[in-house]
């Protein structure tokens, strides 16, 4: 049976043995092939449009599963799996991960394998040297406001002589829409399309709210952090400290922004997931001192959820990323593929896979299990990841998501780079999104 996956090679080599150890039939053999995420979605479209029977299992990004579901190109697992397994998906898995593979009628088309939620990495050692006590002050579980965080970051930046207080990926790409700005906007109570209930449509029949004050405040904060209060469109609140984020991040995407943190030039880094902790623990970076140096906190908030217009928005929020396993409806080996999915859902497999790969299991209860919290590197961060899993925000995925993402990323980048005022940039974005929604309204 063929499976396509995006996972470190050393973990891929142990994928099949881990499944057999968890109870997969010994006569099921798995051939795993890997492709870069940039080509995977296009390759799937070509294969499924052609009616190919392989691969049997598809590793689907949470950001583009729904268009395949709308085209009828994935097997309906609500019908194909036994009811007890469907109930497990409904009741024990992270709801946002499940919804990323849910059809309009509520059926499920994917089993989460990887849940990617993110906190904020920070230099624990530098915070202590600057007079803070992250453990006693519960930095790992009690979210800070962006206002307070900016003050802390600026203070430590000054005391330690750092170049930056905070780095983040803000290159002009869909990363802005899905992740960096999606989370910051949500932390301010803002939404692209009127809150969670409209994330996945219906296209042409949902409010476009990207120009609301909550979104504008998120943009004003970013301009404050990058350009300071001399910027005429910065926040009218001096307690948000300016100059903690380099404007260079407007060209950075998961490379230089991370390097600045690992090289000791920044106090904090926004993309706090296990993959970067593993990188930080390498001999080329923090090595044996990683536990001393690397702290994780929930992402800060702009307003509390209780003050938000939209339910489930505001407060600490993480962008949702990750991958789900779906079955090719043209597969000649559906029975074997479904057995693989049932095995993947077992707790003992998910814990084993976490230890092999470092990927978070999408079952919230496992994040607090002894087997996971005892991990020598990741265990200390599980309380934070649990907070972020409870506050995950998906991207607004529909069949026209990529078209709309280009508009959002471009106009948000225009505003943060000072090319447009916040009101002008978001008004332009709203106009373009309305044209797309009207053209493809369902």
């Amino acid at each position: 049976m063929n499976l396509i996956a995006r996972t470190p090679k050393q973990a891929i080599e142990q994928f099949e043995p881990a499944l057999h150890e968890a109870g997969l039939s010994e006569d099921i053999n798995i051939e795993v092939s890997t492709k870069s995420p940039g080509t995977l979605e296009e390759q799937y479209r070509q294969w499924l449009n052609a009616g190919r029977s392989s691969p049997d299992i598809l590793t689907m990004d949470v950001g583009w599963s729904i268009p395949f579901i709308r085209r009828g190109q994935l097997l309906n697992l609500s019908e194909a799996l036994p009811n007890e397994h469907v109930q497990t998906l409904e009741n024990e898995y992270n709801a946002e991960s499940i919804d990323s593979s849910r059809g309009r009628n509520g059926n499920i088309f994917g089993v989460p394998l990887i849940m990617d939620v993110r906190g904020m990495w920070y230099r624990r050692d530098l915070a202590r040297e600057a007079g803070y006590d992250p453990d006693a002050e519960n930095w790992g579980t009690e979210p800070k406001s962006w206002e307070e965080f900016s003050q802390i970051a600026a203070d430590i930046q000054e005391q330690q002589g750092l170049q930056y207080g905070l780095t983040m990926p803000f290159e002009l790409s869909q990363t802005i829409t899905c992740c960096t700005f999606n989370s910051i906007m949500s932390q301010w109570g803002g939404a692209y399309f009127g809150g969670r209930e409209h994330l996945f449509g219906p296209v042409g029949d949902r409010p476009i709210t990207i120009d609301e004050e909550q979104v504008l405040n998120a943009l004003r904060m970013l301009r404050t952090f990058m350009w300071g209060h001399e910027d005429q469109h910065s926040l009218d609140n001096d307690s948000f400290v300016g100059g903690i984020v380099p404007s260079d991040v407007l060209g950075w995407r998961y490379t230089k922004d991370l390097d600045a943190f690992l090289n000791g030039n920044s106090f904090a880094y926004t993309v706090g997931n296990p993959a970067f902790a593993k990188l930080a623990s390498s001999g080329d970076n923090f090595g044996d001192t990683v536990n001393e140096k690397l702290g994780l906190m929930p992402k800060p908030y702009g307003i509390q959820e209780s003050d938000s217009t939209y339910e489930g928005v505001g407060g600490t929020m993480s962008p949702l990323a990750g991958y789900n396993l779906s079955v090719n409806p043209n597969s000649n080996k559906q029975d074997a593929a479904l057995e693989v999915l049932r095995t993947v859902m077992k707790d003992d497999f998910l814990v084993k896979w976490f230890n092999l790969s470092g990927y978070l299991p999408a079952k919230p209860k496992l994040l607090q299990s002894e087997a996971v919290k005892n991990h020598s590197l990741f265990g200390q961060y599980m309380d934070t990841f649990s907070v972020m899993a409870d506050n995950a925000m998906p991207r607004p995925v529909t069949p026209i998501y990529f078209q709309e993402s280009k508009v959002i990323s471009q106009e948000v980048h225009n505003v943060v780079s000072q090319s447009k005022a916040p009101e002008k940039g978001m008004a332009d974005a709203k106009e373009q999104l309305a044209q797309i929604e009207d053209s493809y309204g369902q």
Side-chain angles (χ1 to χ4, degrees):
M1 184 178 59
N2 295 309
L3 166 72
I4 284 190
R6 177 184 174 245
T7 304
K9 181 179 179 181
Q10 62 271 25
I12 285 291
E13 293 173 350
Q14 295 300 313
F15 185 71
E16 182 179 340
L19 285 170
H20 287 306
E21 185 179 331
L24 182 69
S25 298
E26 291 296 332
D27 60 351
I28 297 179
N29 298 312
I30 300 174
E31 178 185 343
V32 181
S33 60
T34 58
K35 285 186 175 291
S36 70
T39 62
L40 199 53
E41 189 266 346
E42 181 180 355
Q43 185 69 82
Y44 282 172
R45 278 193 285 112
Q46 293 175 0
W47 286 343
L48 293 171
N49 287 340
R52 277 186 46 152
S53 60
S54 64
D56 306 287
I57 298 177
L58 309 168
T59 307
M60 305 293 296
D61 190 298
V62 299
W64 39 253
S65 294
I66 287 177
F68 287 90
I69 296 171
R70 300 284 170 83
R71 294 192 293 264
Q73 293 180 319
L74 301 179
L75 187 68
N76 184 347
L77 299 181
S78 292
E79 296 178 352
L81 287 173
N83 184 63
E84 63 181 290
H85 290 83
V86 176
Q87 291 306 307
T88 297
L89 291 170
E90 293 282 11
N91 298 327
E92 297 185 22
Y93 276 77
N94 173 266
E96 288 76 18
S97 295
I98 293 295
D99 287 345
S100 70
S101 281
R102 195 186 292 278
R104 281 184 289 191
N105 58 3
N107 289 328
I108 297 172
F109 292 80
V111 171
L113 176 65
I114 298 167
M115 176 182 66
D116 185 350
V117 292
R118 303 166 183 181
M120 175 103 71
W121 291 124
Y122 71 94
R123 287 291 300 274
R124 184 181 313 176
D125 56 331
L126 299 184
R128 287 170 173 164
E129 290 172 14
Y132 297 91
D133 190 340
D135 295 332
E137 297 167 16
N138 299 320
W139 283 20
T141 55
E142 297 180 8
K144 298 186 178 302
S145 68
W146 274 113
E147 180 180 2
E148 180 185 9
F149 175 82
S150 71
Q151 296 169 11
I152 292 172
D155 180 33
I156 295 174
Q157 179 182 354
E158 180 179 4
Q159 286 198 49
Q160 301 291 343
L162 304 175
Q163 286 183 271
Y164 320 121
L166 173 67
T167 59
M168 62 180 68
F170 222 90
E171 177 191 69
L172 179 54
S173 72
Q174 76 103 11
T175 297
I176 291 176
T177 306
C178 79
C179 304
T180 309
F181 189 65
N182 190 23
S183 61
I184 292 174
M185 171 190 68
S186 300
Q187 292 150 15
W188 275 93
Y192 297 129
F193 298 102
R196 290 181 180 270
E197 62 181 305
H198 302 294
L199 276 171
F200 308 124
V203 172
D205 190 27
R206 56 180 174 170
I208 302 172
T209 54
I210 196 170
D211 62 336
E212 291 186 340
E213 191 68 13
Q214 309 95 300
V215 181
L216 299 180
N217 281 333
L219 292 165
R220 292 171 184 137
M221 183 186 76
L222 286 168
R223 288 183 61 145
T224 304
F225 287 172
M226 287 189 200
W227 306 103
H229 287 283
E230 294 78 13
D231 185 313
Q232 63 175 321
H233 297 292
S234 62
L235 282 173
D236 187 19
N237 185 340
D238 289 341
S239 59
F240 286 81
V241 183
I244 62 172
V245 177
S247 59
D248 289 346
V249 303
L250 293 163
W252 290 358
R253 183 187 181 192
Y254 300 138
T255 50
K256 291 185 178 179
D257 53 328
L258 174 62
D259 290 343
F261 179 74
L262 293 175
N263 292 341
N265 294 322
S266 178
F267 165 63
Y269 176 54
T270 59
V271 188
N273 62 13
F276 292 122
K278 194 169 186 178
L279 179 62
S281 68
S282 70
D284 293 334
N285 295 305
F286 298 159
D288 294 338
T289 65
V290 65
N291 290 333
E292 173 191 347
K293 292 183 176 180
L294 191 62
L296 184 67
M297 66 173 68
K299 288 183 177 293
Y301 61 88
I303 65 171
Q304 296 280 15
E305 182 182 346
S306 58
D307 296 324
S308 175
T309 302
Y310 304 114
E311 184 177 353
V313 184
T316 183
M317 307 223 71
S318 165
L320 177 72
Y323 289 85
N324 303 332
L325 297 182
S326 296
V327 176
N328 182 348
N330 306 309
S331 168
N332 298 320
K333 303 172 182 176
Q334 282 190 18
D335 289 345
L338 290 168
E339 183 176 341
V340 170
L341 264 58
R342 292 195 300 272
T343 308
V344 162
M345 293 173 62
K346 293 183 177 181
D347 290 356
D348 53 349
F349 170 79
L350 290 171
V351 170
K352 177 77 170 180
W353 185 238
F354 167 76
N355 285 316
L356 288 170
S357 66
Y359 291 134
L360 296 172
K363 285 186 177 181
K365 68 176 184 180
L366 293 183
L367 299 182
Q368 292 297 311
S369 67
E370 184 176 344
V372 169
K373 294 195 74 170
N374 284 341
H375 192 284
S376 59
L377 174 59
F378 304 132
Q380 62 183 307
Y381 307 121
M382 284 304 129
D383 287 343
T384 307
F385 284 127
S386 290
V387 172
M388 301 322 302
D390 288 340
N391 295 277
M393 176 59 70
R395 64 205 78 174
V397 180
T398 66
I400 57 173
Y401 167 69
F402 287 112
Q403 292 170 267
E404 296 189 321
S405 175
K406 289 180 181 178
V407 170
I408 294 170
S409 296
Q410 181 65 67
E411 294 299 345
V412 168
H413 197 272
N414 286 343
V415 171
V416 179
S417 66
Q418 298 182 307
S419 297
K420 290 185 180 181
E423 295 83 357
K424 171 61 175 173
M426 294 305 97
D428 290 347
K430 183 174 184 176
E431 180 180 356
Q432 295 172 71
L433 292 173
Q435 291 174 353
I436 297 172
E437 292 273 316
D438 291 344
S439 297
Y440 292 88
Q442 301 169 355

